[in-house]
């Protein structure tokens, strides 16, 4: 049986400011580095065979901090844009809480958490799912079926899409799933 560890990156500079980050390539802040180190401490004794990470530096910095704290550091890392965060389109770089005041609670929740509510010039969670799940099915799942333990360092929405797939969460329930910065999801995966 293989293990799959999904880790959301630690808090970034823009998370701290309440800004929609999306594809903007910002670093972890001090708190985020601490969250990544804590994740590394929790995973310290695990034997990881392969790691996958998005192309964005906050996910890569998180993986670096995790790896630094692990006893078994000898694993290959593959970067992929498929694991990048959701593109927030016209809201990228804008303050979430100011946008919430402008559009109202209901519209704000739809924009942030719904399955297929479009942000102009951006992506829906469904769009993210349609790039994350094929990547998982083609690049990660075969390795898990071989018995390899895998660590994925990515983002709130790319991981929400993957958890939706793995846990078979219905479209109308995915809005309830929140993955905190530095949070780890762990799955045991068998050959089936």
């Amino acid at each position: 049986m293989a293990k799959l560890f999904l880790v959301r990156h630690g808090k970034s500079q823009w998370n701290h400011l309440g800004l929609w980050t999306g594809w903007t390539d910002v670093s972890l802040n001090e708190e985020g580095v601490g969250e990544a180190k804590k994740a590394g401490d929790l995973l310290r004794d695990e034997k990881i065979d392969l790691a996958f990470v998005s192309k964005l530096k906050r996910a890569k910095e998180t993986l670096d901090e995790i790896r630094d704290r692990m006893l078994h550091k000898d694993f290959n890392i593959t970067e992929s844009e498929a694991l990048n965060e959701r593109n927030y389109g016209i809201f990228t770089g804008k303050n979430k809480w100011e946008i919430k005041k402008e559009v109202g609670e209901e519209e704000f929740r739809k924009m942030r958490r719904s399955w297929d509510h479009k942000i102009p010039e951006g992506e829906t969670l469904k769009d993210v799912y349609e790039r994350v799940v094929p990547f998982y099915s083609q690049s990660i799942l075969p390795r898990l079926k071989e018995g390899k333990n895998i660590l994925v360092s990515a983002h709130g929405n790319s991981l929400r899409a993957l958890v939706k797939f793995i846990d078979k969460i219905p479209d109308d329930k995915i809005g309830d799933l929140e993955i905190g910065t530095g949070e780890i999801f762990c799955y045991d995966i068998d050959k089936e």
Side-chain angles (χ1 to χ4, degrees):
M1 182 160 314
K3 291 184 178 181
L4 172 64
F5 301 98
L6 307 179
V7 182
R8 182 179 174 193
H9 65 79
K11 188 175 278 188
S12 73
Q13 296 164 349
W14 280 23
N15 291 135
H16 177 75
L17 298 172
L19 305 178
W20 263 311
T21 312
W23 290 357
T24 305
D25 206 10
V26 299
S27 289
L28 298 178
N29 68 6
E30 189 175 325
E31 182 181 353
V33 170
E35 290 172 333
K37 287 178 178 180
K38 183 177 178 184
D41 289 340
L42 291 170
L43 295 171
R44 178 179 174 79
D45 296 324
E46 297 295 340
K47 169 96 171 61
I48 301 298
D49 297 299
L50 299 163
F52 293 86
V53 64
S54 88
K55 293 276 191 176
L56 300 172
K57 63 182 158 188
R58 57 196 184 271
K60 292 190 275 189
E61 290 168 355
T62 297
L63 181 57
D64 289 343
E65 293 293 341
I66 291 170
R67 189 179 204 176
D68 283 349
R69 300 183 89 78
M70 296 186 75
L71 295 176
H72 309 283
K73 302 175 193 298
D74 188 26
F75 53 85
N76 291 326
I77 299 171
T78 300
E79 293 181 16
S80 177
E81 287 180 347
L83 296 171
N84 282 4
E85 177 59 286
R86 177 182 176 190
N87 179 351
Y88 281 105
I90 64 169
F91 294 117
T92 300
K94 294 187 177 173
N95 185 284
K96 295 175 191 175
W97 317 122
E98 290 174 10
I99 298 298
K100 182 178 179 180
K101 287 179 191 173
E102 288 177 28
V103 301
E105 180 78 39
E106 185 177 335
E107 178 65 15
F108 182 73
R109 179 159 170 76
K110 284 181 191 175
M111 288 187 327
R112 287 192 73 213
R113 295 285 169 235
S114 74
W115 171 241
D116 59 0
H117 191 76
K118 188 80 169 171
I119 292 177
E121 299 175 28
E123 293 181 295
T124 64
L125 183 60
K126 182 179 178 186
D127 294 329
V128 176
Y129 182 96
E130 289 172 357
R131 65 176 155 84
V132 170
V133 171
F135 178 77
Y136 171 79
S137 297
Q138 294 165 10
S139 300
I140 298 175
L141 186 58
R143 307 305 189 300
L144 290 165
K145 287 182 177 182
E146 293 169 2
K148 306 285 187 196
N149 293 335
I150 294 181
L151 172 64
V152 177
S153 178
H155 307 272
N157 284 297
S158 54
L159 294 179
R160 285 176 67 229
L162 190 49
V163 170
K164 180 186 188 315
F165 176 74
I166 293 169
D167 289 342
K168 298 176 177 50
I169 298 173
D171 298 352
D172 64 339
K173 299 293 184 198
I174 193 60
D176 298 330
L177 177 62
E178 175 72 33
I179 301 174
T181 54
E183 189 170 353
I184 304 169
F185 277 50
C186 179
Y187 293 92
D188 291 319
I189 307 287
D190 63 22
K191 291 182 180 181
E192 302 304 317

